[in-house]
RNA sequence: GGCGACGUAGCCAAGUGGUAAGGCAGAGGUCUGCAAAACCUCCAUCCCGAGUUCGAUUCUCGGCGUCGCCUCCA
């Protein structure tokens, strides 16, 4: 089975193969650290996570670079307001971002380059574009000359004539040859040096434009042609279009072979979650409201196919939490000693489900469909366990199925394995009371444990506990 | 106005030219000291209209509706 991915560049599903056998060079658009990221941002990050995990499942070694954009107009503005340098200002949000990623079990990238630490690379890129006539300088600002790159618009399918030369372009304060030209380098404003936001360059003190850092850092660590470049659909234009233009104008080579774009997370009303609208929830908000981070992860990664919009909704979050619980429940039951029974049927079902699960993931990362296959078997397996019909063969096959899914989901492992001794003692005391058929005492202890957030489940093989 | 995506049960969400996975919620039941969990049963004809076809939810056209992008955006 081969991995097929939807490539925005061609607008079609394509068989994936990296340039170098066995190794994938992956670049994913990281955060601009000017504020706390919201769960919509993390939907994107978890899409990257899903892709990377599946590439690894598929046998590839993945070199993953994700940028940290720590210089931009908003950071500049906020830092000035807070009377801090941009580094001081952005450090808080950068740290929070990494904490949130860890909470969501994001598989870390290999390299997280910061824009401010690659000014030299950026200057080299801008210099090259100027030398070749792909850019021009106006009074300390440098712009990319879109007319010099005929393929402009190929990714976003925007016809250049169709890019309305009106609206916001008219308000642009810079003097550009053409409305669609974009800044590669911006002249320093007054006080920028005090904020730590001005660097010397052949065109005078200034800072990089928005798009250039991605080109510079991607090529720095991954070479001139990437295998996969990911981002949200809202970055297709102008960000990715501009990345392509400036990178390919510089190298004369394709910048990225596969462009993958994830759809947005929407609020309850269906509107895209975004900071400017204010309809956002941060991970911190959700945790404070008592939501399990693992359920949030499941919701964001498996709640919908990555190219479909996903609506943020309490019921959907609850549904995610229940699905995680059911998977964990079955996983726990499969730790028991298998019976000596003939279980060819169940084993076959588990193996077939695993093949179908794999095929779903190979088909453009269709995890929601894959989970359908998994849950088909979850029910069958539980029924068989109820009847004591699970032997060693099917037990192994079922565990393999769950492991295969968990290679993407990463929801089975618990954050805290242990139980406080005092609570464990209460469970033991309850078991003794039950053995003596002193159900009043047993029920009292169970209720008390419930108040401590521990739920009990009695089974033939003993009592199981879990956090509520 | 241009480009693009989407409209499947109370909710979330897959999918297919031959009469629609899965999950949540809900109802009834089995099991259990009671619970919980688990299991069993029930719960949709796929926005509307026309067309193509032996047959369309799936293809085409036209509506209606929702959303995204059109230089802040994951």
């Amino acid at each position: 089975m081969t991995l097929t991915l939807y490539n925005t560049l061609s607008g079609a599903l394509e068989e994936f193969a990296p340039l170098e056998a066995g190794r994938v060079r992956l670049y994913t658009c990281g955060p601009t650290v000017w504020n706390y990221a919201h769960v919509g941002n993390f939907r994107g990050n978890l899409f990257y996570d899903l892709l990377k995990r599946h590439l690894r499942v598929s046998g590839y070694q993945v070199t993953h670079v994700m940028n940290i954009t720590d210089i931009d107009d908003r950071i500049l503005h906020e830092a000035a307001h807070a009377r801090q340098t941009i580094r001081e200002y952005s450090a808080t949000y950068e740290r929070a971002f990494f904490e949130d990623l860890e909470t969501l079990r994001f598989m870390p990238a290999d390299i997280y380059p910061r824009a401010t630490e690659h000014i030299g690379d950026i200057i080299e890129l801008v210099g090259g574009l100027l030398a070749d006539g792909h850019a021009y300088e106006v009074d300390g600002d440098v712009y990319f000359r879109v007319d010099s790159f005929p393929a402009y618009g190929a990714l976003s399918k925007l016809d250049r004539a169709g890019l309305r030369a009106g609206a916001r372009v008219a308000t642009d304060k810079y003097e550009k040859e053409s409305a669609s030209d974009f800044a590669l380098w911006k002249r320093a404003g007054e006080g920028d040096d005090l904020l730590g936001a001005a660097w010397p360059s052949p065109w005078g003190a200034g800072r990089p434009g928005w798009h250039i850092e991605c080109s510079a850092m991607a090529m720095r660590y991954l070479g001139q042609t990437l295998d996969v470049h990911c981002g949200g659909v809202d970055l297709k234009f102008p960000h990715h279009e501009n990345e392509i233009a400036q990178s390919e104008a510089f190298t004369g080579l394709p910048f990225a072979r596969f462009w993958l774009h994830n759809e947005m997370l929407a609020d309850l009303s269906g509107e895209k979650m975004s900071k400017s609208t204010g309809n956002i929830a941060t991970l911190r908000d959700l945790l404070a409201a008592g939501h399990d981070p693992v359920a949030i992860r499941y919701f964001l990664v498996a709640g919908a196919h990555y190219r479909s919009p996903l609506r943020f909704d309490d019921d959907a979050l609850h549904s995610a939490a229940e699905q995680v619980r059911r998977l964990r429940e079955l996983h726990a039951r499969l730790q028991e000693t298998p019976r000596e029974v003939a279980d060819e049927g169940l084993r076959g079902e588990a193996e077939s489900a695993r093949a179908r699960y794999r095929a779903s993931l190979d088909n453009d990362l269709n995890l929601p469909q894959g989970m359908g296959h998994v849950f088909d078997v979850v029910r069958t397996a539980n029924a068989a366990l109820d009847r004591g019909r699970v032997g060693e063969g099917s037990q192994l096959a079922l565990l393999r199925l769950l492991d295969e899914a968990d290679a993407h989901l990463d929801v089975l492992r618990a954050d805290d394995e242990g139980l406080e001794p005092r609570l464990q003692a209460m469970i033991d005391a309850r078991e003794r009371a039950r053995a003596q058929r002193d159900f009043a005492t047993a029920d009292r202890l169970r209720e008390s444990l419930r108040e401590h957030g521990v739920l009990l489940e009695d089974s033939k093989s003993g009592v199981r506990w879990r956090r509520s």
Side-chain angles (χ1 to χ4, degrees), chain A residues 27 29-30 32 67 69 152 155 182 209-215 229-232 234-246 255 259 261:
Chain A
Y27 185 88
C29 272
T32 299
N67 62 292
T69 296
Y152 195 80
L155 178 74
F182 57 92
W210 171 30
H211 319 288
I212 194 73
E213 85 279 12
C214 278
S215 292
H229 190 135
C230 300
D234 55 349
L235 291 182
K236 267 197 280 189
F237 187 88
H239 185 55
H240 292 160
E241 200 68 71
N242 291 353
E243 275 187 60
I244 290 173
Q246 66 206 2
F255 178 48
W259 284 87
H261 291 97

Side-chain angles (χ1 to χ4, degrees), chain A residues 53-366:
Chain A
R53 287 170 186 268
H54 192 58
L55 286 170
R56 291 167 63 112
V57 165
S58 304
Y60 294 111
Q61 180 200 325
V62 181
T63 305
H64 178 195
V65 175
M66 183 154 92
N67 62 292
I68 302 293
T69 296
D70 57 352
I71 169 73
D72 95 318
D73 289 353
R74 290 164 302 184
I75 293 176
L76 213 58
H77 181 258
E78 297 293 330
H81 207 70
R83 299 178 178 281
Q84 290 178 310
T85 65
I86 56 166
R87 180 83 202 111
E88 288 163 350
Y89 177 80
S90 63
T92 305
Y93 301 107
E94 184 184 308
R95 200 178 317 116
F97 178 73
F98 283 121
E99 282 171 15
D100 288 352
L101 284 187
E102 192 176 347
T103 302
L104 290 170
R105 304 187 172 187
F106 179 83
M107 187 176 273
D110 299 284
I111 307 168
Y112 291 105
R114 293 192 187 96
T116 56
E117 292 170 0
H118 293 77
I119 301 295
D121 293 328
I122 291 168
I123 287 173
E124 191 186 324
L125 204 49
V126 175
L129 290 168
L130 275 167
D132 289 344
H134 289 295
Y136 57 95
E137 184 203 336
V138 182
D139 202 15
D141 293 321
V142 181
Y143 297 100
F144 184 87
R145 182 176 279 129
V146 168
D147 280 340
S148 76
F149 189 73
Y152 195 80
L155 178 74
S156 53
K157 315 284 188 273
L158 286 176
D159 180 358
R160 260 199 296 153
L163 294 175
R164 278 211 316 207
R168 292 204 242 179
V169 176
T171 68
D172 203 306
K173 62 188 170 184
Y174 305 109
E175 295 176 26
K176 299 189 285 192
E177 287 179 6
S178 163
S180 48
D181 291 351
F182 57 92
L184 297 169
W185 187 261
K186 295 180 174 185
R187 183 183 55 188
E190 205 173 322
D192 284 0
D193 53 338
L194 296 175
L195 300 172
W199 290 264
S201 83
W203 322 285
R207 63 184 191 289
W210 171 30
H211 319 288
I212 194 73
E213 85 279 12
C214 278
S215 292
M217 298 190 287
M219 293 198 279
R220 176 94 165 83
Y221 295 103
L222 296 171
Q224 297 187 316
T225 298
L226 322 173
D227 288 305
V228 188
H229 190 135
C230 300
V233 287
D234 55 349
L235 291 182
K236 267 197 280 189
F237 187 88
H239 185 55
H240 292 160
E241 200 68 71
N242 291 353
E243 275 187 60
I244 290 173
Q246 66 206 2
S247 303
E248 298 192 355
F250 183 85
T251 65
L253 297 169
F255 178 48
R257 302 171 54 244
F258 281 77
W259 284 87
L260 271 52
H261 291 97
N262 61 281
E263 253 300 340
M264 301 289 100
L265 181 70
D267 67 13
L268 215 50
S269 73
E271 188 182 6
K272 171 181 153 185
M273 200 176 268
S274 93
K275 279 173 198 155
S276 52
T277 316
N279 58 341
I280 60 166
T282 65
L283 180 60
R284 283 134 206 273
D285 294 336
L286 297 180
L287 297 181
H291 291 292
D292 178 357
V294 175
I296 297 167
R297 174 181 166 84
Y298 188 97
F299 166 70
L300 290 174
V301 78
H305 183 255
Y306 77 89
R307 285 193 288 118
S308 294
L310 175 63
R311 197 176 287 224
F312 184 79
D313 172 74
D314 267 355
D315 288 343
L317 211 48
H318 171 74
S319 172
E322 279 299 296
Q323 291 178 60
V324 169
R325 190 189 57 67
R326 271 169 67 75
L327 293 172
R328 285 179 166 174
E329 188 82 21
L330 176 60
H331 190 252
R333 294 184 78 184
L334 289 171
Q335 305 306 314
E336 295 169 11
T337 310
R339 305 298 181 86
E340 303 256 354
V341 293
D343 60 352
E344 293 307 311
L346 180 57
R347 198 187 76 187
E349 250 187 87
E351 283 168 355
S352 140
R354 193 160 69 99
R356 279 177 290 139
Y357 175 83
R358 177 62 180 272
S360 292
L361 270 292
D362 278 342
N363 181 21
D364 198 29
L365 308 174
N366 197 335

